PDB file of all heavy atoms in Angstrom:
ATOM      1  N   GLY Z   8      -5.482  18.211  -7.139  1.00  0.00           N
ATOM      2  CA  GLY Z   8      -6.543  18.252  -8.125  1.00  0.00           C
ATOM      3  C   GLY Z   8      -7.417  16.990  -8.059  1.00  0.00           C
ATOM      4  O   GLY Z   8      -8.005  16.554  -9.090  1.00  0.00           O
ATOM      5  N   THR Z  10     -10.245  16.322  -6.997  1.00  0.00           N
ATOM      6  CA  THR Z  10     -11.647  16.358  -7.193  1.00  0.00           C
ATOM      7  C   THR Z  10     -11.949  16.685  -8.714  1.00  0.00           C
ATOM      8  O   THR Z  10     -13.104  16.856  -9.131  1.00  0.00           O
ATOM      9  CB  THR Z  10     -12.320  17.502  -6.324  1.00  0.00           C
ATOM     10  OG1 THR Z  10     -11.713  18.704  -6.681  1.00  0.00           O
ATOM     11  CG2 THR Z  10     -12.146  17.184  -4.891  1.00  0.00           C
ATOM     12  N   GLY Z  11     -10.959  16.871  -9.473  1.00  0.00           N
ATOM     13  CA  GLY Z  11     -11.109  17.165 -10.929  1.00  0.00           C
ATOM     14  C   GLY Z  11     -11.392  15.910 -11.790  1.00  0.00           C
ATOM     15  O   GLY Z  11     -11.520  14.830 -11.209  1.00  0.00           O
ATOM     16  N   TYR Z  12     -11.390  16.103 -13.046  1.00  0.00           N
ATOM     17  CA  TYR Z  12     -11.689  14.951 -13.958  1.00  0.00           C
ATOM     18  C   TYR Z  12     -10.512  13.908 -13.823  1.00  0.00           C
ATOM     19  O   TYR Z  12     -10.729  12.730 -13.458  1.00  0.00           O
ATOM     20  CB  TYR Z  12     -11.760  15.474 -15.367  1.00  0.00           C
ATOM     21  CG  TYR Z  12     -11.924  14.392 -16.403  1.00  0.00           C
ATOM     22  CD1 TYR Z  12     -13.033  13.615 -16.429  1.00  0.00           C
ATOM     23  CD2 TYR Z  12     -10.906  14.108 -17.339  1.00  0.00           C
ATOM     24  CE1 TYR Z  12     -13.198  12.570 -17.291  1.00  0.00           C
ATOM     25  CE2 TYR Z  12     -11.079  13.096 -18.272  1.00  0.00           C
ATOM     26  CZ  TYR Z  12     -12.222  12.282 -18.221  1.00  0.00           C
ATOM     27  OH  TYR Z  12     -12.347  11.344 -19.174  1.00  0.00           O
ATOM     28  N   THR Z  13      -9.267  14.311 -14.037  1.00  0.00           N
ATOM     29  CA  THR Z  13      -8.173  13.383 -14.039  1.00  0.00           C
ATOM     30  C   THR Z  13      -7.949  12.893 -12.580  1.00  0.00           C
ATOM     31  O   THR Z  13      -7.896  11.742 -12.327  1.00  0.00           O
ATOM     32  CB  THR Z  13      -6.910  14.065 -14.561  1.00  0.00           C
ATOM     33  OG1 THR Z  13      -7.173  14.481 -15.889  1.00  0.00           O
ATOM     34  CG2 THR Z  13      -5.738  13.094 -14.553  1.00  0.00           C
ATOM     35  N   SER Z  32      -7.753  20.069  -3.067  1.00  0.00           N
ATOM     36  CA  SER Z  32      -8.445  20.909  -3.991  1.00  0.00           C
ATOM     37  C   SER Z  32      -8.942  22.083  -3.098  1.00  0.00           C
ATOM     38  O   SER Z  32      -9.044  22.054  -1.902  1.00  0.00           O
ATOM     39  CB  SER Z  32      -9.619  20.284  -4.579  1.00  0.00           C
ATOM     40  OG  SER Z  32     -10.599  19.820  -3.644  1.00  0.00           O
ATOM     41  N   ARG Z  33      -9.302  23.203  -3.797  1.00  0.00           N
ATOM     42  CA  ARG Z  33      -9.812  24.319  -3.075  1.00  0.00           C
ATOM     43  C   ARG Z  33     -11.266  24.194  -2.673  1.00  0.00           C
ATOM     44  O   ARG Z  33     -11.668  24.862  -1.697  1.00  0.00           O
ATOM     45  CB  ARG Z  33      -9.635  25.661  -3.904  1.00  0.00           C
ATOM     46  CG  ARG Z  33      -8.182  25.960  -4.190  1.00  0.00           C
ATOM     47  CD  ARG Z  33      -8.058  26.929  -5.330  1.00  0.00           C
ATOM     48  NE  ARG Z  33      -8.647  26.428  -6.410  1.00  0.00           N
ATOM     49  CZ  ARG Z  33      -8.689  27.054  -7.655  1.00  0.00           C
ATOM     50  NH1 ARG Z  33      -8.253  28.249  -7.759  1.00  0.00           N
ATOM     51  NH2 ARG Z  33      -9.252  26.574  -8.723  1.00  0.00           N
ATOM     52  N   SER Z  34     -11.956  23.417  -3.375  1.00  0.00           N
ATOM     53  CA  SER Z  34     -13.438  23.220  -3.018  1.00  0.00           C
ATOM     54  C   SER Z  34     -13.644  21.842  -2.457  1.00  0.00           C
ATOM     55  O   SER Z  34     -12.866  20.868  -2.761  1.00  0.00           O
ATOM     56  CB  SER Z  34     -14.352  23.301  -4.189  1.00  0.00           C
ATOM     57  OG  SER Z  34     -13.771  24.033  -5.270  1.00  0.00           O
ATOM     58  N   GLY Z  48      -8.035  23.483   0.253  1.00  0.00           N
ATOM     59  CA  GLY Z  48      -7.219  24.729   0.313  1.00  0.00           C
ATOM     60  C   GLY Z  48      -6.302  24.855  -0.884  1.00  0.00           C
ATOM     61  O   GLY Z  48      -6.183  23.858  -1.674  1.00  0.00           O
ATOM     62  N   PRO Z  49      -5.759  25.983  -1.119  1.00  0.00           N
ATOM     63  CA  PRO Z  49      -4.817  26.189  -2.190  1.00  0.00           C
ATOM     64  C   PRO Z  49      -3.605  25.392  -2.152  1.00  0.00           C
ATOM     65  O   PRO Z  49      -3.098  25.078  -1.035  1.00  0.00           O
ATOM     66  CB  PRO Z  49      -4.477  27.680  -2.199  1.00  0.00           C
ATOM     67  CG  PRO Z  49      -5.231  28.276  -1.056  1.00  0.00           C
ATOM     68  CD  PRO Z  49      -5.920  27.208  -0.273  1.00  0.00           C
ATOM     69  N   VAL Z  50      -3.177  24.917  -3.293  1.00  0.00           N
ATOM     70  CA  VAL Z  50      -2.018  23.925  -3.333  1.00  0.00           C
ATOM     71  C   VAL Z  50      -0.854  24.419  -2.493  1.00  0.00           C
ATOM     72  O   VAL Z  50      -0.211  23.665  -1.770  1.00  0.00           O
ATOM     73  CB  VAL Z  50      -1.647  23.671  -4.812  1.00  0.00           C
ATOM     74  CG1 VAL Z  50      -1.408  24.935  -5.601  1.00  0.00           C
ATOM     75  CG2 VAL Z  50      -0.439  22.774  -4.939  1.00  0.00           C
ATOM     76  N   ALA Z  67      -2.325  16.970 -10.859  1.00  0.00           N
ATOM     77  CA  ALA Z  67      -3.360  16.937 -11.863  1.00  0.00           C
ATOM     78  C   ALA Z  67      -4.258  18.226 -11.687  1.00  0.00           C
ATOM     79  O   ALA Z  67      -5.474  18.220 -11.799  1.00  0.00           O
ATOM     80  CB  ALA Z  67      -4.257  15.768 -11.811  1.00  0.00           C
ATOM     81  N   ILE Z  68      -3.622  19.350 -11.605  1.00  0.00           N
ATOM     82  CA  ILE Z  68      -4.274  20.597 -11.603  1.00  0.00           C
ATOM     83  C   ILE Z  68      -4.323  21.192 -13.058  1.00  0.00           C
ATOM     84  O   ILE Z  68      -3.337  20.974 -13.801  1.00  0.00           O
ATOM     85  CB  ILE Z  68      -3.576  21.678 -10.726  1.00  0.00           C
ATOM     86  CG1 ILE Z  68      -3.655  21.187  -9.227  1.00  0.00           C
ATOM     87  CG2 ILE Z  68      -4.068  23.069 -10.867  1.00  0.00           C
ATOM     88  CD1 ILE Z  68      -2.873  21.912  -8.257  1.00  0.00           C
ATOM     89  N   SER Z  69      -5.366  21.816 -13.424  1.00  0.00           N
ATOM     90  CA  SER Z  69      -5.360  22.363 -14.838  1.00  0.00           C
ATOM     91  C   SER Z  69      -5.073  23.759 -14.870  1.00  0.00           C
ATOM     92  O   SER Z  69      -5.416  24.649 -13.969  1.00  0.00           O
ATOM     93  CB  SER Z  69      -6.768  22.101 -15.494  1.00  0.00           C
ATOM     94  OG  SER Z  69      -7.728  22.696 -14.708  1.00  0.00           O
ATOM     95  N   ARG Z  71      -6.278  26.457 -15.837  1.00  0.00           N
ATOM     96  CA  ARG Z  71      -7.488  27.166 -16.370  1.00  0.00           C
ATOM     97  C   ARG Z  71      -7.998  28.141 -15.263  1.00  0.00           C
ATOM     98  O   ARG Z  71      -7.583  28.012 -14.096  1.00  0.00           O
ATOM     99  CB  ARG Z  71      -8.655  26.213 -16.662  1.00  0.00           C
ATOM    100  CG  ARG Z  71      -8.282  25.128 -17.727  1.00  0.00           C
ATOM    101  CD  ARG Z  71      -9.366  24.211 -17.946  1.00  0.00           C
ATOM    102  NE  ARG Z  71      -8.789  22.977 -18.598  1.00  0.00           N
ATOM    103  CZ  ARG Z  71      -9.103  21.737 -18.205  1.00  0.00           C
ATOM    104  NH1 ARG Z  71      -9.969  21.509 -17.275  1.00  0.00           N
ATOM    105  NH2 ARG Z  71      -8.402  20.744 -18.721  1.00  0.00           N
ATOM    106  N   MET Z  74      -5.881  29.740 -12.379  1.00  0.00           N
ATOM    107  CA  MET Z  74      -4.560  29.017 -12.414  1.00  0.00           C
ATOM    108  C   MET Z  74      -3.863  29.191 -13.708  1.00  0.00           C
ATOM    109  O   MET Z  74      -2.712  28.753 -13.863  1.00  0.00           O
ATOM    110  CB  MET Z  74      -4.802  27.509 -12.174  1.00  0.00           C
ATOM    111  CG  MET Z  74      -5.281  27.256 -10.732  1.00  0.00           C
ATOM    112  SD  MET Z  74      -4.108  27.922  -9.510  1.00  0.00           S
ATOM    113  CE  MET Z  74      -2.709  26.902  -9.653  1.00  0.00           C
ATOM    114  N   VAL Z  99       0.729  15.233 -14.615  1.00  0.00           N
ATOM    115  CA  VAL Z  99      -0.119  15.031 -15.769  1.00  0.00           C
ATOM    116  C   VAL Z  99      -0.079  16.305 -16.626  1.00  0.00           C
ATOM    117  O   VAL Z  99      -0.217  17.390 -16.111  1.00  0.00           O
ATOM    118  CB  VAL Z  99      -1.606  14.733 -15.400  1.00  0.00           C
ATOM    119  CG1 VAL Z  99      -2.466  14.587 -16.640  1.00  0.00           C
ATOM    120  CG2 VAL Z  99      -1.714  13.491 -14.541  1.00  0.00           C
ATOM    121  N   GLY Z 100       0.212  16.146 -17.888  1.00  0.00           N
ATOM    122  CA  GLY Z 100       0.294  17.270 -18.801  1.00  0.00           C
ATOM    123  C   GLY Z 100      -0.717  17.058 -19.932  1.00  0.00           C
ATOM    124  O   GLY Z 100      -1.728  16.495 -19.811  1.00  0.00           O
ATOM    125  N   GLY Z 101      -0.248  17.499 -21.173  1.00  0.00           N
ATOM    126  CA  GLY Z 101      -1.200  17.392 -22.355  1.00  0.00           C
ATOM    127  C   GLY Z 101      -0.672  16.646 -23.451  1.00  0.00           C
ATOM    128  O   GLY Z 101       0.542  16.314 -23.548  1.00  0.00           O
ATOM    129  N   PHE Z 102      -1.557  16.239 -24.335  1.00  0.00           N
ATOM    130  CA  PHE Z 102      -1.240  15.551 -25.586  1.00  0.00           C
ATOM    131  C   PHE Z 102      -0.224  16.344 -26.433  1.00  0.00           C
ATOM    132  O   PHE Z 102       0.630  15.841 -27.102  1.00  0.00           O
ATOM    133  CB  PHE Z 102      -2.542  15.354 -26.349  1.00  0.00           C
ATOM    134  CG  PHE Z 102      -2.343  14.827 -27.739  1.00  0.00           C
ATOM    135  CD1 PHE Z 102      -2.043  13.429 -27.989  1.00  0.00           C
ATOM    136  CD2 PHE Z 102      -2.444  15.631 -28.874  1.00  0.00           C
ATOM    137  CE1 PHE Z 102      -1.938  12.912 -29.193  1.00  0.00           C
ATOM    138  CE2 PHE Z 102      -2.235  15.129 -30.134  1.00  0.00           C
ATOM    139  CZ  PHE Z 102      -1.960  13.763 -30.322  1.00  0.00           C
ATOM    140  N   GLU Z 126      -3.428  26.438 -22.990  1.00  0.00           N
ATOM    141  CA  GLU Z 126      -3.304  25.304 -22.146  1.00  0.00           C
ATOM    142  C   GLU Z 126      -2.200  24.352 -22.718  1.00  0.00           C
ATOM    143  O   GLU Z 126      -1.393  23.819 -21.857  1.00  0.00           O
ATOM    144  CB  GLU Z 126      -4.632  24.525 -22.096  1.00  0.00           C
ATOM    145  CG  GLU Z 126      -4.515  23.347 -21.084  1.00  0.00           C
ATOM    146  CD  GLU Z 126      -5.894  22.885 -20.675  1.00  0.00           C
ATOM    147  OE1 GLU Z 126      -6.887  23.593 -20.732  1.00  0.00           O
ATOM    148  OE2 GLU Z 126      -5.968  21.664 -20.296  1.00  0.00           O
ATOM    149  N   ALA Z 153      -4.042  10.866 -24.295  1.00  0.00           N
ATOM    150  CA  ALA Z 153      -4.353  10.875 -25.740  1.00  0.00           C
ATOM    151  C   ALA Z 153      -5.036  12.237 -26.122  1.00  0.00           C
ATOM    152  O   ALA Z 153      -5.536  13.024 -25.262  1.00  0.00           O
ATOM    153  CB  ALA Z 153      -5.325   9.778 -26.005  1.00  0.00           C
ATOM    154  N   GLY Z 154      -5.005  12.587 -27.457  1.00  0.00           N
ATOM    155  CA  GLY Z 154      -5.612  13.855 -27.868  1.00  0.00           C
ATOM    156  C   GLY Z 154      -7.068  13.922 -27.632  1.00  0.00           C
ATOM    157  O   GLY Z 154      -7.528  15.105 -27.336  1.00  0.00           O
ATOM    158  N   TYR Z 156      -8.650  12.763 -25.086  1.00  0.00           N
ATOM    159  CA  TYR Z 156      -8.919  12.655 -23.634  1.00  0.00           C
ATOM    160  C   TYR Z 156      -9.459  13.902 -23.109  1.00  0.00           C
ATOM    161  O   TYR Z 156      -9.106  14.969 -23.494  1.00  0.00           O
ATOM    162  CB  TYR Z 156      -7.555  12.391 -22.885  1.00  0.00           C
ATOM    163  CG  TYR Z 156      -7.663  12.252 -21.417  1.00  0.00           C
ATOM    164  CD1 TYR Z 156      -8.043  11.171 -20.715  1.00  0.00           C
ATOM    165  CD2 TYR Z 156      -7.265  13.399 -20.694  1.00  0.00           C
ATOM    166  CE1 TYR Z 156      -8.090  11.157 -19.308  1.00  0.00           C
ATOM    167  CE2 TYR Z 156      -7.320  13.535 -19.314  1.00  0.00           C
ATOM    168  CZ  TYR Z 156      -7.720  12.315 -18.648  1.00  0.00           C
ATOM    169  OH  TYR Z 156      -7.752  12.279 -17.330  1.00  0.00           O
TER     170      TYR Z 156
HETATM  171  N1  LIG Y   1      -6.145  15.742 -24.158  1.00  0.00           N
HETATM  172  C1  LIG Y   1      -5.313  16.431 -23.221  1.00  0.00           C
HETATM  173  O1  LIG Y   1      -4.171  16.684 -23.556  1.00  0.00           O
HETATM  174  C2  LIG Y   1      -5.839  16.858 -21.919  1.00  0.00           C
HETATM  175  C3  LIG Y   1      -7.258  16.850 -21.747  1.00  0.00           C
HETATM  176  C4  LIG Y   1      -7.741  17.267 -20.420  1.00  0.00           C
HETATM  177  C5  LIG Y   1      -6.781  17.522 -19.387  1.00  0.00           C
HETATM  178  N2  LIG Y   1      -5.479  17.578 -19.683  1.00  0.00           N
HETATM  179  C6  LIG Y   1      -4.446  17.943 -18.663  1.00  0.00           C
HETATM  180  O2  LIG Y   1      -4.637  17.180 -17.489  1.00  0.00           O
HETATM  181  C7  LIG Y   1      -4.493  17.951 -16.317  1.00  0.00           C
HETATM  182  C8  LIG Y   1      -5.720  17.938 -15.487  1.00  0.00           C
HETATM  183  O3  LIG Y   1      -6.775  18.411 -16.147  1.00  0.00           O
HETATM  184  P1  LIG Y   1      -8.319  18.089 -15.786  1.00  0.00           P
HETATM  185  O4  LIG Y   1      -9.220  18.506 -16.975  1.00  0.00           O
HETATM  186  O5  LIG Y   1      -8.363  16.749 -15.232  1.00  0.00           O
HETATM  187  O6  LIG Y   1      -8.580  19.148 -14.564  1.00  0.00           O
HETATM  188  P2  LIG Y   1      -9.857  19.654 -13.818  1.00  0.00           P
HETATM  189  O7  LIG Y   1     -10.990  18.696 -14.065  1.00  0.00           O
HETATM  190  O8  LIG Y   1     -10.107  21.079 -14.252  1.00  0.00           O
HETATM  191  O9  LIG Y   1      -9.496  19.575 -12.364  1.00  0.00           O
HETATM  192  C9  LIG Y   1      -8.558  20.458 -11.739  1.00  0.00           C
HETATM  193  C10 LIG Y   1      -8.434  20.099 -10.303  1.00  0.00           C
HETATM  194  O10 LIG Y   1      -7.453  20.989  -9.706  1.00  0.00           O
HETATM  195  C11 LIG Y   1      -7.998  21.591  -8.500  1.00  0.00           C
HETATM  196  N3  LIG Y   1      -7.290  22.876  -8.415  1.00  0.00           N
HETATM  197  C12 LIG Y   1      -7.230  23.928  -9.300  1.00  0.00           C
HETATM  198  N4  LIG Y   1      -6.531  24.875  -8.810  1.00  0.00           N
HETATM  199  C13 LIG Y   1      -6.085  24.527  -7.580  1.00  0.00           C
HETATM  200  C14 LIG Y   1      -5.380  25.174  -6.520  1.00  0.00           C
HETATM  201  N5  LIG Y   1      -4.830  26.356  -6.766  1.00  0.00           N
HETATM  202  N6  LIG Y   1      -5.042  24.440  -5.444  1.00  0.00           N
HETATM  203  C15 LIG Y   1      -5.601  23.252  -5.263  1.00  0.00           C
HETATM  204  N7  LIG Y   1      -6.345  22.545  -6.125  1.00  0.00           N
HETATM  205  C16 LIG Y   1      -6.602  23.211  -7.281  1.00  0.00           C
HETATM  206  C17 LIG Y   1      -9.503  21.722  -8.841  1.00  0.00           C
HETATM  207  O11 LIG Y   1     -10.295  21.858  -7.720  1.00  0.00           O
HETATM  208  P3  LIG Y   1     -10.688  23.300  -7.138  1.00  0.00           P
HETATM  209  O12 LIG Y   1     -10.978  24.168  -8.325  1.00  0.00           O
HETATM  210  O13 LIG Y   1     -11.801  23.039  -6.206  1.00  0.00           O
HETATM  211  O14 LIG Y   1      -9.427  23.798  -6.474  1.00  0.00           O
HETATM  212  C18 LIG Y   1      -9.708  20.248  -9.520  1.00  0.00           C
HETATM  213  O15 LIG Y   1      -9.708  19.266  -8.474  1.00  0.00           O
HETATM  214  C19 LIG Y   1      -4.095  19.323 -16.849  1.00  0.00           C
HETATM  215  O16 LIG Y   1      -2.717  19.493 -16.878  1.00  0.00           O
HETATM  216  C20 LIG Y   1      -4.695  19.376 -18.214  1.00  0.00           C
HETATM  217  O17 LIG Y   1      -3.992  20.299 -19.100  1.00  0.00           O
HETATM  218  C21 LIG Y   1      -4.941  17.192 -20.874  1.00  0.00           C
END
Side-chain angles (χ1 to χ4, degrees):
T10 59
Y12 176 65
T13 302
S32 61
R33 294 163 302 179
S34 339
V50 52
I68 293 173
S69 56
R71 303 181 201 131
M74 290 307 288
V99 178
F102 172 79
E126 185 164 334
Y156 172 84

